[in-house]
Amino acid sequence: MKKIILTAAGALVLASCATNPVTGRKSLSLVSNADLFPTAYNQYSQVLKQGKVVTGTADAKMVQTVGERLKYAAEKYYQERGISSQLQGYQWQFTLLQANEVNAWCMPGGKVAVYTGILPITKDATGLAVVLGHEIGHALAGHSAEQASQQMAAQGLGQIVGGSIGNAEYAKVFEQLYPVGAQVGLLNYSRKMELDADVTGLYLMAMAGYDPSQAIPFWERMAAKSGSAGVSEFLSTHPSDATRIMKIKEALPTALVYYKASPYKGK
């Protein structure tokens, strides 16, 4: 009987897979991305209420402009592949927060926050596109849902199979993954997810008309910053610098094809 249960559970896991449409990476998907949207939107609202939102400045405008271009590029990519339904329910928002942390993040559903502390390292719109492309890549790939799926699976497949997981349980798992405080909203993704987001973000920024080759000097600047001042929140669970740059170089030829074809290039 035990063998039958384990076999059934294994079959469920194999059947419950999601695929990143940009990179092709497959992941466990017992929880859908959309299941996390309500809690994500609520948490995001709390962050904005507790933090200091920056508006009306050149930096705030840059965050908005870069974010919108990445959004349109993603929507165009999904539309061309007939998978626009995967973006249903997204409520895109791009906010600059006054904070010293070298950090940025994107919650499920397209809720993005950038801290002013990272702007000296991004330097310009292209550097910011590296960061936002990476963070939006996490959301598009459903990495939060993957983490929640892994956590729920560890807690017991029976609850998921029986359909007894409700909003309260989703919220509890989400809050464990996103320890949101006054200025903190960072999900500790695995290194495999981080590399997946690197490649997704590289392609996305290229589609949006930002030179993907500039991703390498950005990550070099980030590595230098973390080396001189300790590991930042943004890099706390990320792959080694050498691994990241190697993967970016491998993906760069494809990214440059997207860049050359981008209707946004030069705007």
Side-chain angles (χ1 to χ4, degrees), residues 55-101:
T55 60
T57 67
D59 286 339
K61 183 178 180 181
M62 179 175 63
V63 169
Q64 188 69 30
T65 299
V66 173
E68 290 291 337
R69 278 176 58 166
L70 291 167
K71 167 196 166 184
Y72 291 135
E75 290 175 341
K76 183 174 183 290
Y77 180 87
Y78 277 58
Q79 183 180 28
E80 289 174 346
R81 281 150 185 78
I83 54 174
S84 292
S85 61
Q86 293 187 23
L87 298 180
Q88 186 174 355
Y90 269 66
Q91 296 179 14
W92 296 95
Q93 189 171 347
F94 305 95
T95 303
L96 180 63
L97 294 173
Q98 183 68 47
N100 293 327
E101 286 88 346

